[in-house]
């Protein structure tokens, strides 16, 4: 069991690579272990100062019956972010991406909003110009990784088992296997879930939240944490607008109420509308 | 339910904060939790109680200090309490608000008794 980042469910996490049909696990884990352990040990020694408070409760005024209720209570100052393990490893990933001049993008949405569809289009349309890698996060199956593999892009599937989000520790292990080249773009498709992945920094530069017009224009209000922590919002499936009561102006307003920095792009992955604007955004982010 | 992973992180931080050789019982775990931290407190306490069994924290109670969210309006500069994202500035109705406080999720101290 891996206790490096306290994610707890690591024994159920597995890594698969479609093109090589490998099932990767043990070795990478051991490497990660020894290293991260050193870290955490240093930390807890530095930061936990111990204070011994002796509470001698002898409220007795007569000297005859002096009971000594000296139960010892030790208060240890911890002063640590509960997610510090995840945040620390996310910083490590961030340093890795920076050193390799990589752009890492975390894609989040409800199940079925079109994360994999957007990736398939993007990888096919831009693969001559840019170098891509993909990490797929799903509880079960390698279906999404197989779809990415079919585009000719190097991909690693993480199956989180019961886990409802990816964390920075899983990404760290995935990178050991994926071994991305410098100057590339890494897409991380998170587990379809608009709640839990919001809290877990993976070390990404950009967080892209996708909603589709079949979901309701109040989605940003219902799941504010995700919209607050994202840098770009993609509204997908605009080809279905004639058939659903989705007020796109209202959806934009709602998203901006939650996060006034948020950029918003409307696309249809199936029809191709708006994809150029998304590609322009990507190119701007890699500095082309 | 990310509160379960949070509870696991909590356990491992506690374990590593108790000095080796200390045979006492962890009785209190003090947390600072902001109202904008995306944590359901009930779910956190529930998760922690489930997984603390047979650990050094099996007798520990979570003592939560809730930290009121605070926002600052970019348009008019006023500072005001907020409980959730997407609330307008009470002075000028603007939604351009920066969060000053309320995203805390921190373990401040633990108490160990003999
Ligand atoms: N009409 C329409 N359907 C779309 C569009 N984009 C995706 N879909 C469909 O929506 C369904 C889900 O798309 P995916 O790309 O698998 O969604 P996802 O977000 O990766 O889903 P999970 O990984 O399961 O969370 C598929 O049936 C797609 O064909 C679109 O622009 N228009
Ligand atoms: Mg998918
Ligand atoms: Zn104002």
């Amino acid at each position: 069991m891996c206790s490096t980042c306290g994610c707890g469910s690591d024994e159920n996490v597995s890594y698969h690579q479609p093109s090589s049909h490998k099932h990767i696990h043990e070795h990478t884990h051991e490497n990660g272990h020894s290293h991260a352990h050193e870290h955490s040990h240093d930390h807890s020694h530095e930061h936990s100062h111990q204070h011994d408070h002796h509470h001698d409760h002898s409220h007795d005024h007569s000297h005859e019956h002096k009971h000594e209720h000296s139960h010892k209570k030790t208060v240890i100052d911890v002063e640590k972010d509960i997610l510090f393990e995840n945040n620390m490893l996310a910083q490590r990933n961030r340093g890795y991406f920076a050193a390799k001049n990589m752009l890492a993008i975390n894609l989040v949405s409800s199940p079925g909003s079109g994360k994999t569809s957007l990736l398939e289009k993007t990888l096919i349309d831009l693969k001559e110009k840019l170098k891509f890698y993909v990490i797929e996060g799903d509880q079960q199956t390698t279906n999404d990784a197989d779809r990415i593999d079919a585009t000719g892009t190097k991909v690693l599937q993480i199956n989180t088992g019961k886990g409802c989000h990816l964390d920075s520790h899983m990404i760290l292990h995935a990178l050991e296997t994926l071994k991305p080249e410098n100057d590339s773009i890494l897409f991380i498709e998170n587990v379809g879930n608009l709640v839990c992945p919001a809290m877990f920094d993976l070390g990404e530069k950009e967080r892209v939240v996708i909603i589709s017009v079949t979901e309701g224009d109040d989605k940003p209000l219902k799941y504010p944490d995700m919209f607050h922590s994202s840098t770009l919002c993609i509204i997908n499936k605009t080809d279905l607008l004639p058939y659903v009561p989705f007020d796109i102006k209202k959806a934009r307003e709602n998203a901006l109420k939650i996060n006034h920095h948020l950029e918003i792009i409307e696309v249809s992955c199936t029809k191709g509308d708006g994809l150029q604007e998304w590609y322009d955004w990507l190119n701007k982010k890699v500095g082309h | 339910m990310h509160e379960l992973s949070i509870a696991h992180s909590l356990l491992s931080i506690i374990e590593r904060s108790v000095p080796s050789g200390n045979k006492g019982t962890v009785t209190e775990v003090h947390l600072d939790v902001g109202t904008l931290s995306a944590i359901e407190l009930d779910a956190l306490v529930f998760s922690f109680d489930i997984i603390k069994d047979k650990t050094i924290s099996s007798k520990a109670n979570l003592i939560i200090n809730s930290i009121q969210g605070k926002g600052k309006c970019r348009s008019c500069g006023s500072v005001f309490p907020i409980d959730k994202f997407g609330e307008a500035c009470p002075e000028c109705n603007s939604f351009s608000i920066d969060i000053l406080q309320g995203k805390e999720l921190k373990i401040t101290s633990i108490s160990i008794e003999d």
Side-chain angles (χ1 to χ4, degrees):
Chain A
M1 145 120 177
C2 197
S3 58
T4 311
C5 76
C7 51
S9 50
D10 262 312
E11 65 257 58
N12 299 319
V13 176
S14 59
Y15 302 77
H16 310 266
Q17 211 169 12
S19 45
S20 56
H21 296 286
K22 267 193 296 188
H23 184 106
I24 311 112
H25 213 76
E26 303 307 326
H27 193 68
T28 42
H29 252 245
E30 250 142 49
N31 281 348
H33 255 251
S34 46
H35 203 108
H37 261 275
E38 271 171 46
H39 265 268
S40 39
H41 269 271
D42 286 346
H43 264 256
S44 49
H45 277 283
E46 269 170 46
H47 295 295
S48 39
H49 309 284
Q50 194 177 333
H51 305 286
D52 283 357
H53 300 288
H54 294 273
H55 298 286
D56 280 319
H57 299 288
S58 39
H59 306 288
D60 223 328
H61 292 283
S62 75
H63 290 272
E64 306 146 317
H65 312 287
K66 190 172 176 190
H67 294 287
E68 230 206 297
H69 299 291
S70 70
H71 66 97
K72 191 175 148 214
K73 179 168 166 179
T74 311
V75 177
I76 297 173
D77 283 338
V78 182
E79 291 295 335
K80 218 174 241 175
D81 198 299
I82 298 176
L83 290 170
F84 95 97
E85 291 266 18
N86 186 76
N87 294 341
M88 189 179 75
L89 295 177
Q91 279 310 106
R92 202 161 124 188
N93 293 343
R94 193 163 277 124
Y96 174 96
F97 297 137
K100 295 179 71 66
N101 190 35
M102 289 176 64
L103 173 64
I105 300 177
N106 185 1
L107 289 171
V108 294
S109 82
S110 301
S113 303
K115 298 180 292 300
T116 313
S117 302
L118 183 72
L119 286 182
E120 287 174 309
K121 281 281 186 203
T122 308
L123 298 172
I124 290 168
D125 289 349
L126 301 185
K127 70 178 172 191
E128 308 302 330
K129 297 193 199 96
L130 297 166
K131 179 83 187 153
F132 293 103
Y133 295 88
V134 177
I135 295 174
E136 280 290 339
D138 287 286
Q139 293 195 324
Q140 310 269 338
T141 83
T142 59
N143 293 351
D144 282 1
D146 294 340
R147 285 166 64 185
I148 300 300
D149 189 45
T151 70
T153 308
K154 199 166 172 195
V155 56
L156 186 82
Q157 177 80 51
I158 302 177
N159 284 139
T160 57
K162 291 200 166 36
C164 48
H165 58 269
L166 294 174
D167 62 36
S168 55
H169 182 216
M170 300 175 196
I171 300 304
L172 188 124
H173 286 315
L175 290 169
E176 286 169 354
T177 306
L178 208 53
K179 296 190 180 65
E181 283 175 20
N182 291 357
D183 309 315
S184 55
I185 296 180
L186 172 69
F187 286 118
I188 304 168
E189 179 179 336
N190 220 311
V191 180
N193 179 336
L194 268 185
V195 182
C196 308
M199 296 196 76
F200 295 84
D201 183 5
L202 305 179
E204 76 268 25
K205 179 94 184 296
E206 304 289 338
R207 184 174 291 184
V208 178
V209 59
I210 302 178
I211 55 172
S212 61
V213 304
T214 54
E215 294 173 46
D217 43 43
D218 57 353
K219 209 95 207 218
L221 302 180
K222 286 180 173 165
Y223 301 94
D225 298 297
M226 193 59 95
F227 287 83
H228 192 261
S229 66
S230 294
T231 51
L232 172 68
C233 172
I234 287 185
I235 303 178
N236 186 29
K237 309 194 189 180
T238 53
D239 56 293
L240 299 178
L241 277 173
Y243 314 104
V244 292
F246 184 92
D247 184 340
I248 210 149
K249 188 166 158 276
K250 211 148 145 216
R252 282 178 165 269
E253 277 170 15
N254 286 338
L256 290 173
K257 274 184 191 174
I258 302 297
N259 177 358
H260 58 274
H261 298 293
L262 196 65
E263 294 182 73
I264 301 172
I265 297 176
E266 299 166 20
V267 306
S268 161
C269 286
T270 40
K271 292 271 168 17
D273 302 359
L275 286 178
Q276 191 54 51
E277 197 183 338
W278 154 243
Y279 298 158
D280 291 344
W281 184 90
L282 267 182
N283 274 311
K284 189 179 75 194
K285 293 298 169 186
V286 291
H288 284 201
Chain B
M1 246 258 298
H2 57 289
E3 283 81 2
L4 186 58
S5 342
I6 306 277
H8 276 289
S9 304
L10 205 48
L11 269 189
S12 80
I13 294 175
I14 296 166
E15 251 150 50
R16 266 180 275 128
S17 302
V18 175
S20 51
N22 190 318
K23 293 280 176 288
T25 308
V26 179
T27 52
E28 292 173 2
V29 178
H30 293 260
L31 307 179
D32 275 355
V33 182
T35 51
L36 302 170
S37 69
I39 285 288
E40 287 288 347
L41 290 180
D42 289 349
L44 179 62
V45 172
F46 178 78
S47 305
F48 186 75
D49 284 346
I50 289 176
I51 62 172
K52 72 183 184 185
D53 243 29
K54 299 199 175 75
T55 72
I56 185 170
S57 308
S58 63
K59 297 246 164 45
N61 286 315
L62 297 185
I63 297 172
I64 293 164
N65 172 35
S66 175
I67 296 187
Q68 169 73 59
K70 213 196 264 176
K72 183 171 195 223
C73 177
R74 286 204 161 196
S75 306
C76 73
S78 61
V79 172
F80 49 90
I82 41 176
D83 289 318
K84 56 180 170 58
F85 294 120
E87 286 180 356
C89 169
E91 297 297 325
C92 74
N93 277 323
S94 161
F95 285 99
S96 284
I97 292 157
D98 291 328
I99 306 299
L100 300 181
Q101 170 184 305
K103 301 200 71 167
E104 297 77 5
L105 181 60
K106 206 168 78 177
I107 170 164
T108 49
S109 68
I110 57 179
S111 306
I112 305 175
E113 283 177 47
D114 288 344

